[in-house]
Amino acid sequence: MTVSQQVFLRDAMRRLNLTRDIFAVRIGVKRRALDTWLLPEGSQEFRAMPEVVNRFVTEIVENEGLLQKYAQSAQSGPLRDRIAADGKHQLLSVDQFTRESVEELFRIADQMQPIARRQKVSRVLEGAVLGNLFFEASTRTRVSFGAAFCRLGGSVCDTTGFTFSSMAKGESIYDTSRVMSGYVDAMVIRHPEKGSVAEFAQATNIPVVNGGDGPGEHPSQALLDLYTILTEFSRLGKLLDGAHIALVGDLKYGRTVHSLIKLLALYRGLKFTLISPRGLEMPQYILEQTGKHGHVIQQTNSLEEGLVGADVIYATRVQKERFSAEDLEGYTPDFQVNKAIIDKCCGPDVIVMHPLPRDSREGANDLSVDLNHDSRLAIFRQTDNGIPVRMAIFAVLLGVESLVQHSLRDVTWSPPSHIGPDDSVFHGMD
């Protein structure tokens, strides 16, 4: 770079006609990071811009087509209209998102953090009722959605299990959805059949969120997973562009990884290592969709080989409920992510994630409990992030995201400084 970093970035923002906030979003960095790059080089707070950012911005300003694309106004209508599914304000698939819209959702999630951390309260959804329709077993997803809605001032009606629903009497998905729409203002639906949530959405005009449709997708989980990765990387001073992501376990039936890899593919220059037992590989259509973005995709049946150099390890449990016992052959202790193999193959900054629940019973070969007190294990920070992300989803779909900041007031009770016994080291992390 022949000119100073400050001059280079200011010239790029001028040519793109973007504010600092929007420019930071467009290049996929935190505003606070951009501010340190824009300081004079002699300043005590000055930080050198990562080479990957330098190459990205240079590519934009030197290519007329990219320059026009990135110079377009970021305000092209409400976010809920830009992520709408078939013209409706519903969240059915991560395919509804672009990199820009997902990062806009995350900025709203950042605004929800004081509420999620029990520091502030808001009543912007006071009077609204959520229908939590879970026709498949769930604890954390169902409670997380319910808690997110309640923390914005709404109330929740739950139904759990297929046998306890009218569908067990032969009622159609259409009838169930239309009837529930007369009772509630939004629905979260989990169903064991792929594509079923889209059927629910066709029968109503109220917001519908896909809480997991069999082996299909789990968009809110993928969004909170991506939010966690970006938050952890920000703490470590790393960028997602150019990162090495290892996905481990049941990649055939694990709907969380199906949604997550499609969201991650919106970023630049990633390396994906897909590690699974034979017969549980990632579906071909997802590989083809991810490959269109030019990422490196490596498939292996060796955990030790695949984890070398990984920035993120995302482990999944075997989805035993979705296939027959004979398919379990080959899922051995060799696929268990534990402290020994991470110490051997990865660096001190690796992030270990899991969508939960994990099977902690002996012989299950799921993510090992010997990582429970390891700071690299992010699974509980990951679940905590589900609240602000799902709050952001509800706020956007119900059109109240702009009201949240003005509605905040202090809590009246005394919340703990940190939730879990191992969280104190991360207390206050943005």
Side-chain angles (χ1 to χ4, degrees):
M1 186 183 298
T2 56
V3 298
S4 73
Q5 177 175 290
Q6 182 187 50
V7 171
F8 171 73
L9 288 171
R10 288 189 182 280
D11 181 64
M13 287 190 291
R14 178 187 58 78
R15 296 182 64 184
L16 289 163
N17 194 28
L18 298 178
T19 65
R20 285 194 185 191
D21 284 332
I22 298 176
F23 182 70
V25 171
R26 288 303 173 92
I27 64 174
V29 302
K30 296 282 188 180
R31 164 63 191 270
R32 65 188 181 190
L34 176 62
D35 288 343
T36 63
W37 303 340
L38 284 165
L39 292 170
E41 293 188 8
S43 169
Q44 185 176 0
E45 300 296 323
F46 169 82
R47 296 292 183 272
M49 175 174 51
E51 181 59 29
V52 65
V53 176
N54 182 18
R55 292 198 306 268
F56 185 28
V57 176
T58 300
E59 183 180 349
I60 292 172
V61 297
E62 291 183 353
N63 183 305
E64 189 62 31
L66 287 176
L67 190 65
Q68 292 300 317
K69 173 185 174 182
Y70 282 90
Q72 293 173 353
S73 171
Q75 302 301 322
S76 54
L79 178 58
R80 69 176 189 156
D81 291 340
R82 283 180 276 133
I83 64 170
D86 296 325
K88 297 181 180 181
H89 300 137
Q90 301 170 339
L91 176 55
L92 308 180
S93 169
V94 295
D95 292 334
Q96 295 169 228
F97 287 91
T98 62
R99 175 168 173 168
E100 177 185 297
S101 61
V102 78
E103 290 179 346
E104 186 171 342
L105 180 75
F106 290 165
R107 291 202 305 279
I108 298 169
D110 287 341
Q111 295 173 11
M112 302 296 182
Q113 284 287 6
I115 308 174
R117 294 175 183 172
R118 287 82 154 169
Q119 298 165 352
K120 300 286 183 178
V121 293
S122 172
R123 307 294 296 175
V124 292
L125 290 185
E126 186 172 14
V129 179
L130 172 69
N132 251 356
L133 279 62
F134 278 68
F135 302 103
E136 189 178 49
S138 171
T139 302
R140 76 208 74 256
T141 301
R142 179 173 54 84
V143 174
S144 176
F145 270 117
F149 205 81
C150 288
R151 290 198 182 278
L152 288 174
S155 56
V156 181
C157 293
D158 272 324
T159 180
T160 57
F162 183 85
T163 57
F164 297 99
S165 75
S166 294
M167 294 179 73
K169 304 174 184 177
E171 185 174 55
S172 69
I173 285 178
Y174 184 95
D175 286 2
T176 301
S177 179
R178 178 59 187 85
V179 169
M180 289 299 298
S181 301
Y183 303 155
V184 301
D185 302 289
M187 288 189 286
V188 177
I189 299 168
R190 171 169 288 189
H191 196 279
E193 296 179 10
K194 182 178 179 180
S196 56
V197 178
E199 292 186 51
F200 275 93
Q202 290 172 0
T204 180
N205 288 325
I206 70 170
V208 172
V209 179
N210 183 355
D213 59 334
E217 280 206 51
H218 197 345
S220 70
Q221 179 70 47
L223 287 165
L224 75 89
D225 290 339
L226 178 57
Y227 182 79
T228 298
I229 293 170
L230 291 171
T231 302
E232 296 285 312
F233 273 22
S234 177
R235 174 176 62 84
L236 297 168
K238 299 166 69 173
L239 294 175
L240 181 50
D241 290 317
H244 178 188
I245 313 292
L247 304 178
V248 183
D250 181 359
L251 307 185
K252 180 178 181 179
Y253 296 103
R255 59 191 170 204
T256 59
V257 290
H258 297 171
S259 294
L260 178 58
I261 194 171
K262 290 197 286 184
L263 272 186
L264 287 167
L266 298 175
Y267 288 76
R268 295 167 54 87
L270 270 64
K271 176 183 177 181
F272 293 105
T273 302
L274 310 180
I275 311 164
S276 65
R278 298 188 188 280
L280 296 180
E281 291 88 356
M282 186 73 75
Q284 186 61 34
Y285 77 93
I286 295 180
L287 294 177
E288 292 173 358
Q289 183 173 340
T290 306
K292 291 178 182 178
H293 295 267
H295 302 294
V296 174
I297 302 175
Q298 173 188 353
Q299 297 190 77
T300 179
N301 304 119
S302 169
L303 184 64
E304 184 171 332
E305 174 187 310
L307 292 187
V308 174
D311 296 297
V312 177
I313 301 170
Y314 192 97
T316 63
R317 71 179 178 88
V318 181
Q319 306 288 305
K320 297 178 182 179
E321 64 272 26
R322 306 201 193 284
F323 55 94
S324 55
E326 58 267 21
D327 287 328
L328 284 170
E329 292 181 13
Y331 203 86
T332 67
D334 295 335
F335 287 93
Q336 184 181 53
V337 176
N338 55 41
K339 190 176 189 306
I341 196 164
I342 290 176
D343 288 342
K344 180 178 181 180
C345 300
C346 305
D349 289 343
V350 68
I351 302 166
V352 182
M353 301 173 63
H354 190 293
L356 300 181
R358 60 172 168 170
D359 191 338
S360 300
R361 293 171 293 187
E362 187 175 352
N365 303 323
D366 205 342
L367 180 65
S368 176
V369 296
D370 70 0
L371 287 162
N372 279 4
H373 303 290
D374 193 312
S375 63
R376 295 171 294 184
L377 186 73
I379 59 174
F380 300 116
R381 301 193 292 279
Q382 185 181 351
T383 55
D384 290 346
N385 284 332
I387 298 295
V389 170
R390 287 176 171 131
M391 289 172 69
I393 290 170
F394 286 133
V396 168
L397 294 182
L398 290 163
V400 299
E401 69 271 25
S402 63
L403 304 178
V404 173
Q405 287 285 73
H406 304 291
S407 70
L408 298 179
R409 56 185 176 83
D410 292 339
V411 299
T412 56
W413 67 92
S414 299
S417 62
H418 49 276
I419 300 171
D422 298 314
D423 295 342
S424 58
V425 67
F426 298 100
H427 179 53
M429 181 182 68
D430 289 326

